[in-house]
């Protein structure tokens, strides 16, 4: 990417470069139009007909000439503002002569529009790209200056965004435009607080793929070998009466009855009893998740809960021990007793060992993110003290702690063949981080693009991570203590693992950033609400589109694929190094708005080239293998057939090696597997 580029842009301008950003889709006006350029959007808008999924980068010259031709007073059209399906200009609002105070290139004059989905700033400067921000991405709106304010650009509006940005727009007092913009933004950026529908319910684009069908609970349980003699799938929560934050389909030990499960649920916080997340295909060691026991200050106990944990241990015939992994620091677990919670007593839970993983609370994580935002935006501050300032945020230390706890779980499952019960306080924050990351390391299926979508749907969405509350979707409560970057930490942790194992994942970094952008942008219904039950009541699946419809569509899916991916045929467990020396700041996400910290070459363009190259090399290898088999069958008869496969593989490897020498791709082979190593 050009070092002169301004904010990272994910929208229109089919002729500009790509970046790690959110892809774009067609407007309702034309499937192949290419409207004006955009400077800093994570919205989905139109690109050129050559590549409808190609995002753009905001390129701008400091010496750009100001365009003196202002917009007319006529009705605003999509030629002025690129609109997606279902999007409209609110009240035909056009605020002229507004100045965007870009932290990197200085003031940019233009016109400001507000739709029911985004804020759109159209630059008057010839070479400056436009700015587009989804309204749900805005966390806080503040007025700057008053009637007595003096000085240029001292009167305007500040926007604090959830994607690490802060934006400021200066208005001229004599234009009287600030009030209308402020009131409209306040209303549509926080629709739930103003009794308006989320834009996801207005968005009606058509996709060839139904993303809601990506995750089918029964099919996923069958993939893990359920039901079997030890585990069953129960419908006890079909009407969400046992636990309103759990999914309808649950996997529990076969020997349990409905009354027994109700008794266990009554002893667990929020009714979140231990249920199966993942089962080892060979050892039958299991990962189960739940919430804390309601021990309280009187040290209450439940014999049914104690025997239930014993039952989970017993269905794993290879071990006579079970580990209870409590995500919290022990001090927090003890403090929760005063609120009716607590932790298991090893004297009462036979053959159980309790480990505390020391992952801090959601409040600590929120403060850490706040400090990180101050460090990364708009600039990296004092470069001489960058590392010490980064350390002071504790963000990387928190990521290390999460990964370290995950590795302890994976070690117990894979190496000790023992089952593990994972919980924190309520079982929907740190618990989801640990179970999903453990499953990612243990099961190669979750490292595929579709498998990762299933993992998110299963461990986060269906098991009741409070997305709406943690992200503040549509609500004007920027200081709410319940907001916390729990899911961002999970995605960051996944990125850390992909850096250590670049060949093990079918998806790329761009896919992870796209997920984060739409987590906050709320264009799709995937991350709305706090539980499966709430989504059922709000009819999310029937009234909104799934993010996976977009990512899995034929025209988009290649953007999210990793050209280095190697599909290992056998069970392959990853064990990343959870050392602070190996944990890195995810600059492509946290610092992406800074033009000086972007790669100069568009990664997405290079990835597409490598994917095409990989397809060509594979085809050439297959052709050589067929040719070799034909020759061997002619000259060797039956006696040569035994060596055909090995020789063919060698021939294919030679072909790939030869192609790689011409293309810049280095390949290594071993045990019949081909691993591509590409330096970008």
């Amino acid at each position: 990417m050009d070092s002169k580029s301004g904010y990272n842009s994910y929208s229109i301008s089919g002729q500009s470069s790509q970046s790690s950003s959110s892809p774009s889709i067609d407007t309702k006006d034309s499937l192949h139009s290419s409207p004006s350029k955009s400077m800093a959007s994570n919205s989905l808008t139109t690109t050129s007909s050559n590549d409808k999924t190609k995002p753009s980068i905001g390129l701008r010259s400091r010496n750009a000439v100001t365009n003196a031709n202002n917009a007319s007073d006529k009705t605003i059209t999509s030629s002025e503002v690129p609109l997606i399906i279902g999007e409209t200009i609110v009240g035909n609002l056009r605020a002229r002569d507004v100045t965007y105070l870009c932290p990197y290139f200085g003031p940019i004059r233009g016109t400001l529009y507000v739709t029911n989905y985004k804020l759109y700033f159209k630059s008057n400067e010839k070479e400056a790209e436009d700015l587009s921000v989804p309204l749900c991405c805005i966390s806080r709106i503040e007025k700057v200056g008053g009637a007595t304010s003096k000085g240029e650009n001292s009167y305007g509006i500040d926007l604090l965004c959830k994607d690490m940005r802060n934006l400021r727009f200066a208005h001229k007092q004599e234009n009287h435009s600030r009030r209308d913009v402020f009131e409209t933004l306040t209303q549509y950026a926080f629709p739930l607080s103003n009794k308006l529908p989320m834009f996801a319910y207005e968005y009606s684009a058509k996709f060839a793929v139904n993303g809601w069908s990506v995750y089918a609970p029964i099919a996923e349980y069958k993939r893990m070998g359920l039901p079997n003699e030890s585990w069953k799938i129960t419908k006890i929560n079909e009407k969400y009466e046992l636990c309103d934050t759990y999914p309808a389909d649950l996997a529990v030990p076969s020997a349990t009855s409905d009354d027994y499960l109700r008794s266990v649920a009554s002893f667990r916080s929020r009714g979140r009893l231990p249920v199966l997340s993942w089962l080892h295909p060979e050892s039958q060691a299991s990962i189960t998740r739940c919430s804390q026991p309601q021990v309280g200050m009187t040290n209450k106990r439940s014999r049914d809960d104690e025997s239930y944990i014993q039952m989970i241990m017993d269905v794993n015939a290879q071990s006579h021990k079970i580990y209870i992994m409590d995500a919290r620091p022990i001090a927090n677990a003890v403090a929760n007793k005063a609120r009716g919670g607590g932790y298991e007593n090893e004297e009462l839970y036979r053959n159980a060992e309790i480990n505390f993983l020391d992952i801090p609370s959601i409040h600590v994580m929120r403060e850490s993110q706040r400090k990180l935002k101050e460090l990364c935006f708009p600039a990296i501050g004092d470069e001489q003290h960058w590392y010490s300032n980064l350390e002071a945020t504790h963000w990387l230390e928190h990521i290390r702690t999460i990964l370290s706890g995950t590795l302890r779980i994976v070690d117990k499952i894979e190496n000790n063949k023992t089952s593990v019960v994972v919980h924190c306080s309520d079982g929907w924050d740190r618990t989801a981080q640990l179970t999903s990351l453990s499953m990612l390391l243990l099961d190669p299926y979750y490292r595929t693009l579709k498998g990762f979508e299933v993992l998110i749907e299963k461990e986060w969405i269906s098991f009741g991570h409070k997305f709406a509350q943690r992200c503040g979707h549509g609500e004007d409560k920027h200081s709410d203590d319940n907001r916390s970057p729990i899911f961002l930490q999970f995605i960051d942790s996944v990125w850390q693992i992909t850096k250590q194992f670049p060949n093990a994942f079918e998806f790329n970094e761009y896919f992870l950033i796209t997920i984060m952008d739409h987590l906050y942008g709320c264009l799709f219904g995937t991350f709305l609400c706090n539980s499966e039950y709430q989504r059922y009541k709000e009819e999310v699946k029937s009234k909104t589109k799934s993010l996976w419809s977009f990512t899995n569509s034929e025209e988009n899916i290649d953007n999210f694929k990793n050209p280095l991916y190697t599909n290992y045929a056998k069970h392959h467990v990853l064990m990343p190094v959870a050392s602070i020396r190996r944990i890195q700041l995810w600059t492509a996400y946290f610092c992406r708005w800074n033009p000086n910290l972007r790669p100069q070459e568009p990664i997405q363009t290079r990835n597409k080239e490598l994917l095409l190259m990989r397809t060509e090399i594979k085809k050439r290898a297959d052709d050589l293998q067929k040719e070799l088999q034909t020759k061997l069958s002619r000259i060797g008869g039956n006696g040569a057939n035994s060596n055909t496969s090995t020789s063919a593989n060698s021939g294919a490897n030679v072909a790939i090696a030869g192609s790689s020498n011409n293309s810049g791709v280095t390949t290594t082979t071993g045990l019949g597997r081909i691993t591509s190593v590409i330096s970008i």
Side-chain angles (χ1 to χ4, degrees), residues 422-443:
V422 183
H423 73 72
C424 50
S425 296
D426 292 316
W428 50 45
D429 290 316
R430 289 165 285 190
T431 299
Q433 289 176 335
L434 293 169
T435 57
S436 54
L437 287 172
S438 297
M439 293 159 66
L440 189 75
L441 297 182
L442 287 163
D443 194 337

Side-chain angles (χ1 to χ4, degrees), residues 78-98:
S78 59
S79 62
E80 291 182 60
V81 182
L83 302 175
I84 61 177
I85 297 174
E87 187 179 11
T88 59
I89 307 292
V90 178
N92 208 38
L93 177 63
R94 178 198 287 115
R96 289 206 194 100
D97 209 9
V98 174

Side-chain angles (χ1 to χ4, degrees), residues 268-288:
R268 292 281 169 173
S269 176
R270 316 282 184 175
R272 296 172 67 91
L273 75 162
V275 293
L276 181 71
S277 280
W278 189 77
L279 190 65
H280 196 288
E282 298 169 1
S283 69
Q284 298 299 296
S286 63
I287 298 177
T288 52

